[in-house]
Amino acid sequence: MSGVRDEWSRGDRVRAAAQLMVGWVALLWLLEAVDVATGHALDDYGIVPREPSELTDIVPAAFLHFGFDHVAANSVPLLVLGFLAALGGLRRFAAVCALIIVADGLGVWLLSPAHSNTAGASGLVFGLFGYLLATGFVERRPHGILVAVLIAAVWGGSILAGIAPTQTGVSWQGHLVGLISGIAAAFLFRRRPAPVA
């Protein structure tokens, strides 16, 4: 009896995840180039806390940065962590990213110091770290636990430093809310075991 393949092959998933994240990171660099070319006009789309009109900037702020050094600092971890998370399926990945971006943006809007302006992909980076760290344990998948151990070894120190309130010039509030949002996403979007016939 012939069947229809309803899932992508491993190679298809790898290619799709890689293309998505390379395109995502390229978009961040393009937006920063536009920002520089327009005299930093896009910086106005960062999040200024507790201003009702700024709620519309919650999503755009996750794609904007304050200079090429800022973009560069987020590019490699976003590329790697995003790629690993996207291997679990693009629809699931989109839902995870949407949750992290919105929750993180709201957290920045509520908790950041008055008169500050926050933008950047680091909240998403911290969220994807939290998501990958928790998913393997939540779903009890050995390869997921291995990924969690590896990313903790590579980025764990930077993550802990990034949520320290003593940090200056960075949004530790956004980092912390992003991390918590990613862990929450691991529970909300976990795969349930297939029913046994």
Side-chain angles (χ1 to χ4, degrees), residues 44-84:
D44 290 341
Y45 293 95
I47 302 168
V48 177
R50 295 172 295 284
E51 294 284 343
S53 62
E54 293 292 308
L55 288 169
T56 58
D57 293 336
I58 282 173
V59 173
F63 295 87
L64 304 173
H65 292 80
F66 300 129
F68 288 113
D69 288 347
H70 191 196
V71 182
N74 285 326
S75 292
V76 172
L78 179 61
L79 186 65
V80 175
L81 298 175
F83 170 75
L84 291 172

Side-chain angles (χ1 to χ4, degrees), residues 16 19 24 38 43 48 54 68 99 105-107 111 124 143 154 160 172 186 195:
Q19 290 168 356
W24 193 317
T38 57
D43 290 354
V48 177
E54 293 292 308
F68 288 113
L99 172 67
L106 287 170
L111 302 173
L124 178 59
H143 70 278
V154 174
L160 288 174
W172 67 266

Side-chain angles (χ1 to χ4, degrees), residues 130-153:
Y131 172 74
L132 289 168
L133 195 66
T135 297
F137 295 99
V138 168
E139 297 181 354
R140 298 179 182 179
R141 294 175 182 262
H143 70 278
I145 293 170
L146 177 61
V147 168
V149 170
L150 290 174
I151 65 164

